[in-house]
Amino acid sequence: MAFLNIHGRSVAYRLLGAEIHPLVVLAHPLGMSQAVWDDLLPALLPRYRVLTWDLPGHGASQAWGEGPIAPADLAAEALALVDHAGVERCHFVGTSIGGVVGQALLAEHGDRLLSATLTNTGAVIGNAALWNTRAGRVRQEGLVAMAEEIVPRWFAPACFAAEPALKAGWCTQMGRGDDDSYALLCEMLGCDAFTGKLAGKGVKVQLLGGSEDLATPPATLEALAAELDGAPLEILEGVGHVPSVEVPGLFAERLLAVMQHAA
């Protein structure tokens, strides 16, 4: 892991693989960390250079600090890392709030993208009341207390049954995050939407969802597909909100197909 100072904050990132390969940037879900991509690395690294990073107050990245967070801020952070890697254009993969970062890039920086794979996300996710309520509870109760409630929403029940330690592991990871940064990101999700901002961008986009996803159900992905000029959408059966953890082999297969056809 390495660190880059971006606008006065220390951002934790990994840049792996040979410089000769195309770059793929991976953006993780809210409450998790760049570790969600670990099981994809063996499939990606023989063909791609891989850049992952931790969102504000997540993993090893410094907390956000004062003021609200906007999707444009997170997109700028991603592009600062891409610039640091010395690359002009990249493939982008984002899950959940990571997919919101991808939408911000598509809306304003499509010329920097070779392709975009957006999973378990939406132009609108939930509603302002939901996110503002969660932000308030996180500030009052803390992530450690709320992790037991939130983490089970990430995974299909069958995934928990097959891996009994999964819940405790991700509850521990989530509980280590910065409460206020998480709350600010919740408030961002309640305020910002990309309705009417994603059409006609000329970038190859693939959407993936999970049939068991409670946070961004298939209907949310279908609405996003309509915003993206009818972008292709695949719903993975029996999968919840985080396919890179639940079905890494299948997910890597889908990513490789998208990126190879966009090259």
Side-chain angles (χ1 to χ4, degrees):
M1 187 184 300
F3 298 88
L4 183 66
N5 188 297
I6 302 176
H7 299 135
R9 284 181 51 255
S10 177
V11 176
Y13 74 96
R14 295 181 299 184
L15 182 59
L16 308 172
E19 291 187 23
I20 193 172
H21 293 322
L23 181 69
V24 54
V25 178
L26 309 175
H28 69 78
L30 182 67
M32 304 188 84
S33 74
Q34 60 186 311
V36 299
W37 308 113
D38 286 357
D39 290 343
L40 301 184
L41 296 178
L44 296 180
L45 286 174
R47 305 178 193 180
Y48 293 92
R49 197 177 182 203
V50 177
L51 173 64
T52 68
W53 86 103
D54 289 323
L55 293 174
H58 289 60
S61 284
Q62 192 173 354
W64 181 256
E66 297 297 322
I69 306 175
D73 295 320
L74 302 181
E77 191 166 281
L79 290 177
L81 290 164
V82 172
D83 290 340
H84 184 65
V87 174
E88 179 62 29
R89 302 182 73 203
C90 64
H91 299 281
F92 184 89
V93 181
T95 294
S96 189
I97 197 171
V100 174
V101 180
Q103 292 172 64
L105 290 169
L106 283 167
E108 299 295 338
H109 305 282
D111 59 320
R112 301 292 302 270
L113 300 180
L114 296 166
S115 72
T117 302
L118 309 181
T119 97
N120 307 83
T121 190
V124 179
I125 301 176
N127 57 66
L130 179 155
W131 289 114
N132 291 336
T133 296
R134 182 181 292 189
R137 287 189 60 197
V138 166
R139 289 193 175 100
Q140 183 174 32
E141 301 173 36
L143 286 170
V144 172
M146 291 196 63
E148 290 280 339
E149 174 185 331
I150 294 172
V151 169
R153 293 177 55 82
W154 293 345
F155 302 104
C159 187
F160 271 162
E163 299 184 58
L166 193 66
K167 178 181 176 181
W170 280 109
C171 282
T172 299
Q173 172 67 64
M174 185 177 186
R176 291 173 176 163
D178 177 67
D179 294 341
D180 193 56
S181 297
Y182 183 98
L184 288 169
L185 290 168
C186 288
E187 288 165 348
M188 181 196 86
L189 291 172
C191 289
D192 286 277
F194 286 90
T195 304
K197 301 177 183 178
L198 299 172
K201 299 304 178 181
V203 178
K204 180 177 179 60
V205 178
Q206 172 69 50
L207 302 180
L208 296 172
S211 66
E212 306 302 308
D213 188 351
L214 299 177
T216 53
T220 300
L221 274 295
E222 290 165 3
L224 178 58
E227 295 289 336
L228 286 160
D229 304 314
L233 165 63
E234 180 180 2
I235 301 299
L236 304 176
E237 288 299 320
V239 175
H241 193 58
V242 196
S244 61
V245 174
E246 295 178 74
V247 286
L250 177 61
F251 191 42
E253 178 184 297
R254 296 299 191 268
L255 295 185
L256 289 170
V258 172
M259 295 188 294
Q260 288 165 3
H261 287 130

